[in-house]
Amino acid sequence: MIGLSKYRLRWYVGMFLTYAGIAAALIFFLFPFIWIVTTSLKGNEDYFTFPPVWIPTEPSLAHYERLFTHGNGWLYFKNSLAISSLSMVAALAFSVPTAYSIARFRFGGSLFSNFLLLLRTMPAIALVIPIYVLYSKLGITNNYFGLILLYTVFYIPFAVWLLIGFIRDVPVEIEEAALIDGCSRLQALLRVVLPVIVPGLAVVALFAFITTWNEFLFAVILTGAETKTVMVLVASYTTGSPTDTFFGEASASVVLGILPSFLVAFALQRYLVKGLALGAVKG
Amino acid sequence: MLKRKLSTRQEAYFFASPALFLIVAFVIFPLCYSFYLTFQNYDLAIGPPAEYVGLENYQEMLEDKRFWRSWLNTFIIIFPSITLQLLLGLGIALLLNRPIRGRAFITSLLIIPSMVSPVSAAMAWRMLFGVKYGGINNFFMQIGLLDVYFDWFATPARAIFSIVAVEVWHNTSFMMIVLLAGLQSIPQELYEAGEVDGASAWQKFWWITLPLLKFTMIVALLIRMIDLTKIFGLIYLLTFGGPAGSTQTVAFSTYLSGFQDFRISYASTLSYVIVVGVFLLTLVFQKVSRFREGGEA
């Protein structure tokens, strides 16, 4: 009896410590988000008081309004939205056939998949230097089209690699049936394979959107006054020393910057673990 | 009209060619062009015409103290970051691997930091680290741990500490998620067998979990190393390379050469060293992951 209760006590203590550890982790990883959201809702009178105000006394969306109406926030938000969604669509359009070719015809063999991996890890800084020179010569810096193409290409290796798995899961038999019925390969891909892999396409699309939305290096170098993205806007609040920032608008811009990530994180809940871990766990 | 059937080989090329064309036009060609530039003295501040200068850029790079410093700075940021990420990530993964309620929900909450961009993360932390009225100083003053405002970026050591802290916050969850997947793939029978033999919790961890998680850890560490070699956004937002150049990493000092000094050729030369570094890490990564697959099969 005593042995058993000792065992149970140890189990309870163990579980208590487990939950305590997880709670500590949750606090560490989430408090910056809570702080930045409350900061963006505070009025100016709440920033410079002591003792500090943690919960806004009169929550208001005034800073968001300023961000969108007084500055170019609305324009940059639209830019980010347009650039991210167009390069998402383009990346899918280019990656699906390539992934299909690899999954069904073993296009390029292992050499090509190694090449794709190298492209995935390619340092952006090495690419942006020649791209900047070439774009300047062509006169397409500060141009949506040039930026969208670049993001499309940069995302292709990851998209292809994710899509190969989804396409391999489609049984070859249903495709062969379509081919016998007189479909061309292209029709088979469009009418038979695509409808089956819609969930996979959604995952790839959302990852593409968020990757482009979050990108900074290309954006800060290749955009001009009219084509800036939200990330460039966020970074623009660093002028001056780290000691003084425009609390209201800066925090509102950060919230704007992380909003899509939050939405995607919850939309992809089921796939997130796989999507993030796959790279390390499966090769 | 008679439709001619394409051969399988032709079909394979037909489907792959659009993406291949883009990759050649926007990656391969620019990289070749920048390799060509490394033998020129193309300088946007002085302006063209650029001319052939042989290996001058490479020679200058090898004698450039800033270049060697930037690699040292990058290592100084990488090693504490990946060590902490491994330890913290493993710790949290072990907790999440226990029989707890709401694991899926907790996991997806914990992943959020690694989903947000480095720029947003760094801006939030820049404001938290703010000297006057920053969240952290405010909190420590309120509970009485600080009586004067503390400048988290004043000295090289503090700036590096702050960058490492933000990087750990930002990407520990990646490590956590990879290790959790690794933990869940360890067969439960091994632990049961260990229990039958009277192994303590610590012995089970040391003799079962760690050996079976070894390759997953190495692969995850390599991914973080490849990423951190390219670290740029955090530096740009938090310190802009300061104080006294102590946080100028390789990608950041290349950026400064190219887009502040406008020395395009020299920046191309610097960038090629990063390409080679990342290339070597990627090769190691490939070898290790192939070896792991072979070992498990």
Side-chain angles (χ1 to χ4, degrees):
Chain A
M1 252 334 251
I2 293 168
L4 184 73
S5 65
K6 216 178 187 176
Y7 179 80
R8 287 202 53 90
L9 186 70
R10 273 188 62 170
W11 190 83
Y12 278 119
V13 171
M15 284 322 278
F16 173 77
L17 290 177
T18 303
Y19 281 110
I22 288 171
L26 280 172
I27 291 169
F28 174 63
F29 287 113
L30 297 182
F31 89 89
F33 294 121
I34 296 163
W35 187 77
I36 206 80
V37 171
T38 53
T39 301
S40 74
L41 298 175
K42 284 178 195 167
N44 278 328
E45 69 280 1
D46 285 350
Y47 294 131
F48 312 114
T49 51
F50 194 87
V53 177
W54 297 103
I55 296 157
T57 45
E58 278 173 58
S60 80
L61 293 172
H63 298 302
Y64 291 92
E65 205 213 319
R66 265 198 77 82
L67 187 71
F68 281 131
T69 54
H70 288 253
N72 277 327
W74 180 240
L75 175 67
Y76 299 160
F77 178 68
K78 281 193 297 186
N79 285 345
S80 269
L81 217 53
I83 292 170
S84 304
S85 19
L86 286 173
S87 56
M88 168 185 93
V89 172
L92 273 187
F94 282 97
S95 306
V96 168
T98 311
Y100 181 77
S101 181
I102 295 172
R104 287 291 185 254
F105 307 119
R106 303 183 177 286
F107 175 80
S110 66
L111 193 72
F112 189 62
S113 51
N114 287 350
F115 172 68
L116 281 181
L117 179 68
L118 281 179
L119 284 182
R120 252 186 83 199
T121 57
M122 175 65 60
I125 183 76
L127 196 55
V128 78
I129 296 169
I131 288 280
Y132 175 76
V133 176
L134 293 168
Y135 275 19
S136 305
K137 286 188 174 163
L138 295 169
I140 54 169
T141 54
N142 190 12
N143 177 298
Y144 295 110
F145 188 64
L147 208 56
I148 291 167
L149 267 175
L150 194 57
Y151 284 136
T152 304
V153 180
F154 217 65
Y155 189 68
I156 285 177
F158 184 63
V160 166
W161 173 79
L162 270 180
L163 284 167
I164 292 173
F166 289 117
I167 294 177
R168 281 209 177 123
D169 288 343
V170 181
V172 188
E173 289 76 25
I174 57 168
E175 234 181 293
E176 277 166 354
L179 288 174
I180 288 166
D181 288 346
C183 271
S184 71
R185 272 283 175 183
L186 190 60
Q187 284 169 323
L189 169 61
L190 293 177
R191 298 201 184 142
V192 180
V193 179
L194 274 193
V196 182
I197 60 166
V198 165
L201 293 178
V203 173
V204 177
L206 287 177
F207 269 124
F209 185 90
I210 214 70
T211 308
T212 307
W213 180 278
N214 285 347
E215 206 283 334
F216 177 62
L217 182 57
F218 291 151
V220 77
I221 289 170
L222 296 173
T223 59
E226 308 98 58
T227 50
K228 281 190 179 126
T229 62
V230 171
M231 287 308 132
V232 183
L233 172 72
V234 173
S236 71
Y237 289 106
T238 58
T239 45
S241 70
T243 56
D244 49 47
T245 15
F246 315 97
F247 270 73
E249 274 165 68
S251 54
S253 78
V254 173
V255 174
L256 191 64
I258 60 182
L259 201 61
S261 310
F262 264 76
L263 298 180
V264 169
F266 280 99
L268 289 186
Q269 219 178 52
R270 273 176 55 214
Y271 295 96
L272 215 53
V273 178
K274 259 196 181 148
L276 281 174
L278 214 59
V281 175
K282 275 206 170 164
Chain B
M1 207 176 79
L2 197 78
K3 249 197 209 165
R4 258 209 302 163
K5 272 216 153 179
L6 294 169
S7 74
T8 314
R9 203 184 144 79
Q10 283 170 321
E11 275 180 330
Y13 274 96
F14 168 73
F15 283 109
S17 52
L20 276 184
F21 170 75
L22 276 192
I23 289 171
V24 170
F26 285 87
V27 182
I28 307 298
F29 171 67
L31 283 179
C32 293
Y33 179 63
S34 90
F35 189 60
Y36 160 80
L37 284 180
T38 62
F39 303 105
Q40 304 265 319
N41 60 356
Y42 191 54
D43 189 328
L44 282 177
I46 300 171
E51 42 188 43
Y52 177 76
V53 294
L55 294 173
E56 253 175 49
N57 286 315
Y58 291 91
Q59 207 176 350
E60 184 191 339
M61 179 177 79
L62 292 176
E63 289 162 6
D64 186 353
K65 273 194 191 133
R66 237 176 71 176
F67 165 72
W68 295 105
R69 260 301 288 282
S70 71
W71 277 95
L72 182 67
N73 291 339
T74 312
F75 284 120
I76 292 176
I77 290 171
I78 287 182
F79 281 99
S81 302
I82 62 173
T83 311
L84 285 170
Q85 282 168 353
L86 179 69
L87 293 177
L88 264 177
L90 179 62
I92 302 168
L94 285 169
L95 293 181
L96 287 173
N97 199 36
R98 291 174 59 98
I100 53 161
R101 279 159 200 269
R103 180 192 292 142
F105 182 66
I106 294 172
T107 311
S108 57
L109 282 179
L110 288 176
I111 296 174
I112 296 174
S114 59
M115 297 288 293
V116 307
S117 69
V119 168
S120 317
M123 192 65 205
W125 277 94
R126 188 188 156 99
M127 295 174 70
L128 276 165
F129 277 135
V131 175
K132 275 186 185 172
Y133 315 113
I136 293 173
N137 279 353
N138 264 352
F139 179 70
F140 283 135
M141 298 265 285
Q142 195 176 16
I143 62 171
L145 271 178
L146 279 180
D147 46 7
V148 283
Y149 285 120
F150 188 77
D151 188 341
W152 294 88
F153 296 97
T155 66
R158 284 188 210 168
I160 289 165
F161 167 85
S162 304
I163 286 171
V164 169
V166 177
E167 166 57 29
V168 167
W169 176 83
H170 193 207
N171 281 313
T172 293
S173 33
F174 167 79
M175 201 69 105
M176 170 201 90
I177 210 76
V178 171
L179 294 179
L180 183 60
L183 282 175
Q184 286 174 343
S185 71
I186 298 176
Q188 206 54 43
E189 296 86 59
L190 292 176
Y191 292 106
E192 284 158 17
E195 250 156 58
V196 171
D197 292 343
S200 69
W202 172 252
Q203 281 171 323
K204 279 186 282 182
F205 174 73
W206 189 256
W207 296 105
I208 301 172
T209 311
L210 269 191
L212 286 172
L213 212 55
K214 195 171 59 190
F215 280 111
T216 310
M217 287 198 259
I218 295 173
V219 166
L221 282 174
L222 281 167
I223 292 179
R224 290 304 320 132
M225 279 171 78
I226 290 171
D227 260 11
L228 275 164
T229 308
K230 303 182 274 188
I231 188 170
F232 177 78
L234 284 189
I235 308 290
Y236 188 101
L237 269 280
L238 288 173
T239 62
F240 209 76
S246 60
T247 56
Q248 277 184 21
T249 57
V250 283
F252 194 77
S253 73
T254 307
Y255 167 82
L256 289 181
S257 289
F259 300 98
Q260 214 171 53
D261 305 345
F262 290 111
R263 300 187 59 206
I264 297 293
S265 276
Y266 189 55
S268 300
T269 316
L270 295 179
S271 79
Y272 256 89
V273 184
I274 309 177
V275 171
V276 171
V278 169
F279 178 78
L280 292 177
L281 281 174
T282 309
L283 285 186
V284 176
F285 168 81
Q286 220 157 22
K287 278 262 148 55
V288 173
S289 36
R290 196 158 299 155
F291 183 76
R292 185 177 57 150
E293 271 165 28
E296 279 176 358

